[in-house]
Amino acid sequence: MILTVTPNPALDVTYDVEHLTPHGSHRVLAVHEVAGGKGINVASVLHRLGRDVLVTGVVGGPTGDQVRADLDRRGIPHRFARSSAPTRRTTTVVGRDDGEATAFNEPGWPWPDGSWMALLDHVAGLLAERPVSVLVASGSLPPGAPDHAFADLTLLGRDAGVPVVVDGSRDALLGALAAGPDVVKPNREELLDVTHVDDPVLGAKVLQDKGARHVVVSLGADGIMAVSPTGTTVRAWLGERLRGNATGAGDSAVAALAASIARGDDWADGLADAVAWSAAAVLRPTAGDVDPDDVERLRAAVRVETLED
Amino acid sequence: MILTVTPNPALDVTYDVEHLTPHGSHRVLAVHEVAGGKGINVASVLHRLGRDVLVTGVVGGPTGDQVRADLDRRGIPHRFARSSAPTRRTTTVVGRDDGEATAFNEPGWPWPDGSWMALLDHVAGLLAERPVSVLVASGSLPPGAPDHAFADLTLLGRDAGVPVVVDGSRDALLGALAAGPDVVKPNREELLDVTHVDDPVLGAKVLQDKGARHVVVSLGADGIMAVSPTGTTVRAWLGERLRGNATGAGDSAVAALAASIARGDDWADGLADAVAWSAAAVLRPTAGDVDPDDVERLRAAVRVETLED
């Protein structure tokens, strides 16, 4: 079973409007509310592709109840810790005329004292009671969470003998590195942001110098670039161009990496899967969704190039 | 006591962002959540100015709980009917750079069968158990509510010997007229929308032909124009120009009219109050708020002109 940890989940609300007019007043034509947050999207993709997965993290308040109810509806298993702080929302406004999305992301309520330790205890409990093959820690941290949050989760995984994949940004990503996460997956902008290095391979090596083992950099339409602990560089990309919605593509790549590690696949195959799963997510309008047929078809179009250091 | 009925209240959510960029992704810098809906704003103004008021309407779900909790926090008495349909939200995005607001208004969930009759029973019960001086029916109707909703409330008021002020638009306004509401208060656009007559006095007479008694047309910065059942036309306006936020100005005018009727004031004085209270609302950034000192100061600057038919 793959365990995904989302410290800062969200209720993702989508408002359909006819056309977005800045400074105007809009009648909302339809409201959609789904459980969101990167770790939840990772789990959703894994579940969609038949992998055994469990969602955890922290939820609270009525929005937290809605997150849990939506996962129930989608059949995705979850075991959240509870907090007195309500789960945040994200609101995305989509114009029906042009299909363009404008997103407003709440940062989340500050965590009450002791919440982070409570989540660590909760995750340790799950690791002790279940056969977990991979632990995935994804997404943002709520205000007040410690920068070493993903490092703490990495150490929990290591103590349990479970490989850990971290998908965070900024201080959350930097704070994870000292604990030696097995895989970190920044995108190009996130890597530049923390390393100030433009070249993805050189940037990956900066993260490795700080403690990361595998570094996988997602490059959008250019696929991914991965650097292994021994310095082997693998580039994988799709031999065709896609049009669609890139939201959730990175989460789908993380899902593929976790699934590949869970099965003990060859690393280059896992990277090729990551490109295919990510591309399949682009073809779907909502984050956390892929069509298994798309995954299979796109997988055949992935090209892989390995460069020894 | 003035009873305000809001059939379609809302949790009004405000998102502060740095700058609104269409098709961009925004970090929300602050989230404010308050009870909203026109009848609630009317009650809030009355409460702020020391009048005895009771809020009613229909709430449901966690957002309904938040509406009630916010009224408790503000000290505004309420007695809502409950519904299984959750209370809607409105989301307003405000750019910190320019102060401009962009609003997204959920229409509300369709009402379950029997909800409208249940609200009428609830209001009838309140009218029977308390000394109500004026009944105010304000705002939009949820999807599926009957067009005769405000007519039903008007008849309830009449049966109880209580004057009724209706502030609705479109079908909700038109549907109220046959029951002979004591006052209707469209703004200029709402009046044009239902009468297709550009001149406010002629438009008011169209509404009177359909059953309305007093028609008060709010004209924004130009004050108000009122036509009495005997055809007397009163114009009232502020002898100075204001800058501010017109949201909630109409609700403040309705509050003044209700307060004036409750005290048995001279009608022209009530119209002058409506201009002053409305102008005081423009000076405050949030709907439902006025400063008593502003009301007093602005009241002295109101000019009134009466034209017999």
Side-chain angles (χ1 to χ4, degrees), chain A residues 8 10 19 28 55 180 183 207 239 241 252 261 268 271 273 290:
Chain A
N8 198 22
H19 172 74
V28 175
V55 166
V183 180
L207 298 192
R241 288 276 153 174
S252 198
I261 296 167
L271 296 171
D273 284 350
V290 292

Side-chain angles (χ1 to χ4, degrees), chain A:
Chain A
M1 160 188 294
I2 296 166
L3 178 65
T4 77
V5 185
T6 313
N8 198 22
L11 186 69
D12 285 344
V13 182
T14 305
Y15 281 169
D16 287 0
V17 299
E18 196 53 48
H19 172 74
L20 174 65
T21 307
H23 314 158
S25 184
H26 302 77
R27 184 178 162 79
V28 175
L29 305 173
V31 182
H32 306 279
E33 298 182 325
V34 298
K38 291 170 78 72
I40 288 176
N41 294 340
V42 170
S44 173
V45 168
L46 288 164
H47 177 73
R48 191 81 181 78
L49 295 174
R51 304 309 203 275
D52 192 21
V53 69
L54 181 67
V55 166
T56 191
V58 182
V59 292
T63 38
D65 293 340
Q66 285 180 272
V67 163
R68 300 194 315 152
D70 183 59
L71 291 174
D72 287 339
R73 189 183 59 75
R74 290 151 70 184
I76 301 171
H78 56 85
R79 281 276 300 279
F80 284 102
R82 302 302 298 256
S83 167
S84 59
T87 296
R88 70 194 173 108
R89 297 170 170 262
T90 70
T91 301
T92 302
V93 176
V94 178
R96 285 202 175 159
D97 57 341
D98 56 11
E100 294 279 359
T102 306
F104 303 98
N105 302 312
E106 296 182 13
W109 296 87
W111 270 7
D113 282 350
S115 293
W116 179 249
M117 287 308 296
L119 175 61
L120 288 180
D121 283 349
H122 178 79
V123 173
L126 294 174
L127 287 168
E129 78 184 46
R130 305 186 180 215
V132 173
S133 54
V134 179
L135 189 155
V136 177
S138 275
S140 64
L141 298 174
D147 292 345
H148 54 76
F150 287 148
D152 295 345
L153 288 169
T154 301
L155 295 176
L156 275 188
R158 175 178 302 164
D159 287 350
V162 173
V164 177
V165 179
V166 169
D167 183 10
S169 61
R170 299 171 184 258
D171 291 345
L173 169 58
L174 282 176
L177 300 174
D182 298 273
V183 180
V184 296
K185 194 225 61 69
N187 63 32
R188 196 198 302 252
E189 293 70 33
E190 289 164 345
L191 183 67
L192 175 62
D193 192 47
V194 296
T195 62
H196 309 292
V197 173
D198 205 30
D199 179 81
V201 175
L202 296 179
K205 287 183 172 165
V206 171
L207 298 192
Q208 289 180 325
D209 287 345
K210 293 175 187 288
R213 299 190 71 251
H214 291 276
V215 178
V216 179
V217 187
S218 51
L219 304 169
D222 294 329
I224 60 180
M225 169 76 76
V227 182
S228 77
T230 57
T232 304
T233 300
V234 178
R235 197 165 79 84
W237 71 99
L238 194 70
E240 58 185 75
R241 288 276 153 174
L242 296 179
R243 284 182 62 87
N245 172 9
T247 309
D251 300 331
S252 198
V254 169
L257 296 172
S260 168
I261 296 167
R263 296 214 304 198
D265 287 349
D266 177 75
W267 180 237
D269 284 342
L271 296 171
D273 284 350
V275 171
W277 293 32
S278 180
V282 169
L283 297 179
R284 304 291 300 169
T286 27
D289 189 21
V290 292
D291 183 322
D293 292 341
D294 287 339
V295 168
E296 190 177 335
R297 180 176 57 78
L298 292 163
R299 181 63 173 79
V302 177
R303 303 187 193 163
V304 180
E305 182 180 74
T306 301
L307 306 163
E308 298 300 329
D309 192 24

Side-chain angles (χ1 to χ4, degrees), chain B residues 41-51 53 74 76 277 284 288-293 295:
Chain B
N41 294 339
V42 170
S44 173
V45 168
L46 287 164
H47 178 74
R48 191 82 181 77
L49 295 174
R51 304 311 202 273
V53 70
R74 289 151 71 183
I76 302 172
W277 292 32
R284 303 292 298 170
D289 189 21
V290 292
D291 183 321
D293 292 341
V295 168

Side-chain angles (χ1 to χ4, degrees), chain B:
Chain B
M1 160 188 296
I2 296 167
L3 178 64
T4 77
V5 185
T6 312
N8 198 21
L11 185 70
D12 286 344
V13 182
T14 304
Y15 281 168
D16 288 0
V17 300
E18 197 51 49
H19 172 73
L20 174 65
T21 307
H23 314 158
S25 184
H26 303 76
R27 184 178 162 81
V28 175
L29 304 172
V31 182
H32 305 280
E33 298 182 325
V34 298
K38 292 171 78 72
I40 288 176
N41 294 339
V42 170
S44 173
V45 168
L46 287 164
H47 178 74
R48 191 82 181 77
L49 295 174
R51 304 311 202 273
D52 191 20
V53 70
L54 180 68
V55 166
T56 190
V58 182
V59 293
T63 38
D65 293 340
Q66 284 180 273
V67 163
R68 300 195 313 153
D70 183 59
L71 291 174
D72 287 340
R73 188 183 59 74
R74 289 151 71 183
I76 302 172
H78 57 85
R79 281 275 299 279
F80 285 102
R82 302 302 298 257
S83 167
S84 58
T87 296
R88 70 193 174 108
R89 299 170 166 261
T90 70
T91 301
T92 301
V93 176
V94 178
R96 285 202 176 160
D97 57 343
D98 56 11
E100 294 279 359
T102 305
F104 303 97
N105 301 313
E106 297 182 13
W109 295 87
W111 269 6
D113 283 349
S115 292
W116 179 249
M117 286 308 298
L119 176 60
L120 288 180
D121 283 350
H122 178 79
V123 173
L126 294 174
L127 288 168
E129 78 183 44
R130 303 184 181 216
V132 174
S133 53
V134 179
L135 189 154
V136 177
S138 275
S140 64
L141 298 175
D147 291 345
H148 54 77
F150 287 148
D152 295 345
L153 288 168
T154 300
L155 295 176
L156 274 187
R158 175 177 303 164
D159 287 349
V162 174
V164 177
V165 180
V166 168
D167 183 10
S169 60
R170 299 173 184 258
D171 291 344
L173 170 57
L174 282 177
L177 300 175
D182 297 272
V183 181
V184 297
K185 194 224 63 66
N187 62 33
R188 194 197 301 251
E189 293 70 33
E190 289 164 344
L191 183 66
L192 176 61
D193 193 45
V194 296
T195 62
H196 309 291
V197 174
D198 205 30
D199 179 83
V201 175
L202 296 180
K205 289 183 172 164
V206 171
L207 298 193
Q208 288 179 326
D209 287 344
K210 293 176 188 289
R213 300 190 71 250
H214 290 277
V215 178
V216 180
V217 187
S218 51
L219 304 170
D222 294 328
I224 61 180
M225 169 76 78
V227 183
S228 77
T230 57
T232 304
T233 300
V234 179
R235 198 164 79 83
W237 71 100
L238 194 71
E240 59 184 74
R241 289 276 152 175
L242 295 179
R243 283 181 62 87
N245 172 9
T247 309
D251 300 331
S252 197
V254 169
L257 295 173
S260 170
I261 296 168
R263 296 214 304 200
D265 287 348
D266 178 76
W267 180 238
D269 284 344
L271 295 170
D273 284 350
V275 171
W277 292 32
S278 180
V282 169
L283 297 178
R284 303 292 298 170
T286 26
D289 189 21
V290 292
D291 183 321
D293 292 341
D294 287 337
V295 168
E296 189 176 338
R297 180 176 57 76
L298 290 163
R299 181 64 174 80
V302 176
R303 304 189 191 159
V304 180
E305 182 180 74
T306 301
L307 306 163
E308 298 300 328
D309 191 22

